[in-house]
Amino acid sequence: MEGVVDGSGAQLVVAELVRVQGLLRQLEAHLSAPCSVELCRGLAAQIVALTDRSIGIATRSFSSASGGGAHFADTAPPMPALTSCTPSPLSDGSDHQPFRTTNAKKRKTTARWTSQVRVSAAGGAEGPADDGHSWRKYGQKDILGAKHPRGYYRCTHRNTQGCTATKQVQRTDDDASLFDVVYVASDSYGLGGAGYGDWRCCDGDLQEVVSALATVTSAPDHAAMDAADFMSYCFDFDPAVYGGIVGTPSFFL
DNA sequence: GCTATTTGACCAGC
DNA sequence: GCTGGTCAAATAGC
C-alpha cells in the first residue's frame, strides 16, 4: 500500500508523530515510577487524540492530492468529530485575534499566547460548562463598555506545580447564555519556540491545552491549519464534556 | 481549620 | 489619568 502526501500534510503528520513519540516516552517513564492514574490516563488520551489527528491530516492530504496519486482516502478512518464547531461572530474575518502572541505586555514581560473560544452555558448555568480543568477564581472586573463583568481564573496548581495558565470568562453582551473564554499561556517554562517539553504541571488536560498552544505556534505549517485543527490541538474538543463550543476562532498568528 | 470566592486596592501599560 | 490584570484581606462554605 502506498500513497502520496503533499508536503504540508507530511510535515503536519511528522510533527504529530513526534508529539506521540514524546508522550509515549512520558508514559513509559511514568509506568516505571509511582504514577497518578489520572496523569497516565491523560497521557493515553493525548496519544489517542494525536494519532486520530495524524490519520485525519493524512487522509485529507491524500484526498487533496487525489489527482496526483493518492490512494488512502477510501480506507483511512474519518477525522475526529469536530462538526459541532460552527462559525461564530468571533471568526467573522474581522480583526478579532483569537490566537496571538500578545504584544501589549502588561506587567509580565514574558511572551504570552491566548486562545479565545465562545462557549454556551450548561442548562442556563451561571457560567460556562466545566472544561475539565482545575481553575481558581482570583478576581472579577467590570469592563468598560461591557454589560457583564469579566472573571479571572488561574490554574489551581499554580502554587504547587508552577502551572501559570490563566483564563478569563466574560458573558457576551448580545447573548447572556454565551461566554467568551480566553485561555492564556505564558512562556515561563520555555513555551516560546522551545516546544512543550518542560511542563511540570500534573494537570494533564490543562497541560495539553497550553502545550498545544506552543506546538501550534511552532508547527511548520501552522498557517494551513483550519479552525477544526486549532480546536483539536488546543482542547481535544469533547462536546459532551464541554457543553458546546459554538464558535471556533479562525487561526491567527 | 482548610479551601474557594469576593471585592477593594494596587500596579503597569497606554 | 484611564483601563485592565493581579494581589491580598475578608468572608463564606464545607
Side-chain angles (χ1 to χ4, degrees):
Chain A
M1 194 173 190
E2 63 183 44
V4 176
V5 184
D6 66 281
S8 61
Q11 288 180 337
L12 283 175
V13 171
V14 170
E16 295 281 10
L17 290 176
V18 168
R19 292 187 65 196
V20 169
Q21 187 179 47
L23 290 169
L24 282 170
R25 285 175 176 162
Q26 287 183 50
L27 185 59
E28 184 180 35
H30 285 299
L31 287 175
S32 59
C35 172
S36 158
V37 173
E38 287 303 317
L39 177 57
C40 292
R41 187 174 298 163
L43 287 171
Q46 291 179 54
I47 292 168
V48 171
L50 283 169
T51 52
D52 281 348
R53 281 199 289 271
S54 299
I55 292 168
I57 292 168
T59 300
R60 283 183 299 173
S61 296
F62 297 145
S63 298
S64 64
S66 59
H71 304 298
F72 292 142
D74 56 348
T75 56
M79 279 288 285
L82 288 164
T83 52
S84 59
C85 296
T86 56
S88 83
L90 294 179
S91 55
D92 60 1
S94 66
D95 60 354
H96 186 74
Q97 300 179 355
F99 183 80
R100 63 186 182 272
T101 53
T102 305
N103 294 323
K105 295 182 179 64
K106 302 195 73 170
R107 291 200 175 198
K108 292 182 179 179
T109 56
T110 55
R112 303 169 82 197
W113 291 265
T114 66
S115 171
Q116 179 169 352
V117 296
R118 180 163 289 190
V119 303
S120 61
E126 288 299 312
D130 181 10
D131 58 10
H133 314 306
S134 299
W135 301 101
R136 175 172 175 164
K137 190 173 185 177
Y138 67 87
Q140 180 170 303
K141 189 100 177 162
D142 287 328
I143 302 301
L144 189 68
K147 295 178 181 176
H148 308 287
R150 177 179 300 165
Y152 297 89
Y153 299 81
R154 67 164 61 101
C155 175
T156 303
H157 308 300
R158 178 189 178 95
N159 295 327
T160 58
Q161 293 159 13
C163 175
T164 60
T166 63
K167 77 169 180 179
Q168 301 167 6
V169 178
Q170 186 171 10
R171 194 182 293 269
T172 61
D173 289 345
D174 51 339
D175 188 342
S177 66
L178 296 178
F179 294 82
D180 285 331
V181 182
V182 180
Y183 294 88
V184 181
S186 73
D187 70 347
S188 298
Y189 301 107
L191 292 178
Y196 62 98
D198 197 23
W199 270 87
R200 288 180 287 170
C201 176
C202 289
D203 184 331
D205 292 333
L206 179 61
Q207 173 181 336
E208 182 180 10
V209 169
V210 185
S211 66
L213 296 178
T215 301
V216 169
T217 59
S218 60
D221 194 38
H222 52 260
M225 297 178 69
D226 58 19
D229 282 332
F230 175 80
M231 291 305 300
S232 183
Y233 261 106
C234 292
F235 297 103
D236 275 343
F237 177 59
D238 182 354
V241 171
Y242 203 65
I245 295 174
V246 299
T248 57
S250 57
F251 192 74
F252 176 90
L253 268 183

